[in-house]
Amino acid sequence: MNFLFCCFIFSITHVYILAHIDYDAVLTFHKEDAERLGYFYCAVMPYRLPEINQGSLSESDVFFIGANKGRYKHLLLIYDKLSNAGLKCDFFICDVAKKEQIKKDGIVYNKRITYDEVLKHIKASKCVLEVLQNGNNYISIRTSEALQLNKKHI
């Protein structure tokens, strides 16, 4: 029996994994990466999220999770606009130096949470905020999560 092992790449930063495993094909959800690197392009994410219980998390209007990656000032501007509009934000921003952190209700700095916790926060929110880095234009895992959990996505 022949098996085909495919490695799905959600981000070009995951490519380093390929050097450490044997694979038959590489699939990516980023059309530009597929064209540039010779990978297979997959337009649909091939997984389904499990049932999620938000537990005791309080509800929020907008949820964001991600690393700074040059987006920190932009994220703060977005946070301020949303908060000033009366929306409750639930932001987890990693890789922000202590001296750059501005204390605001609803922003947690440099705390990494499990994927199960991410899904609980999405479940407890009305909307998922996505800020792509470096002007990228692609469908990310956040897009799929928002769609599957019937959340708005900005």
Side-chain angles (χ1 to χ4, degrees):
M1 184 178 254
N2 291 329
F3 291 97
L4 179 67
F5 179 74
C6 296
C7 182
F8 284 92
I9 302 298
F10 288 95
S11 164
I12 196 64
T13 59
H14 295 142
V15 171
Y16 75 93
I17 296 170
L18 299 177
H20 304 294
I21 60 174
D22 292 324
Y23 55 89
D24 296 302
V26 178
L27 287 82
T28 180
F29 304 104
H30 308 253
K31 192 171 188 176
E32 294 81 18
D33 291 346
E35 292 168 356
R36 191 175 83 249
L37 301 169
Y39 298 157
F40 293 100
Y41 174 63
C42 182
V44 179
M45 293 198 181
Y47 73 95
R48 186 145 180 80
L49 293 174
E51 285 297 318
I52 299 148
N53 177 358
Q54 77 185 50
S56 61
L57 283 177
S58 61
E59 292 188 359
S60 68
D61 293 303
V62 182
F63 174 70
F64 172 83
I65 186 164
N68 175 355
K69 296 182 182 178
R71 302 176 288 183
Y72 179 56
K73 289 180 181 176
H74 191 66
L75 289 168
L76 288 179
L77 288 173
I78 293 169
Y79 171 92
D80 287 340
K81 286 187 180 204
L82 295 171
S83 293
N84 290 339
L87 299 175
K88 181 179 177 188
C89 296
D90 184 18
F91 282 28
F92 283 76
I93 309 172
C94 292
D95 302 330
V96 179
K98 189 83 167 164
K99 65 183 178 190
E100 294 178 28
Q101 295 176 13
I102 299 173
K103 186 165 176 57
K104 295 178 182 259
D105 288 337
I107 297 182
V108 177
Y109 291 102
N110 301 330
K111 180 180 179 187
R112 302 209 182 262
I113 59 176
T114 66
Y115 187 59
D116 286 343
E117 288 297 313
V118 170
L119 293 177
K120 287 178 182 179
H121 281 269
I122 293 172
K123 181 83 172 178
S125 74
K126 295 177 184 170
C127 178
V128 176
L129 170 66
E130 180 165 36
V131 178
L132 299 176
Q133 55 188 335
N134 301 327
N136 285 328
N137 181 14
Y138 54 83
I139 295 173
S140 76
I141 194 168
R142 290 289 104 80
T143 305
S144 179
E145 293 159 350
L147 287 171
Q148 289 188 52
L149 294 173
N150 200 27
K151 303 297 175 178
K152 293 177 183 159
H153 180 252
I154 53 173

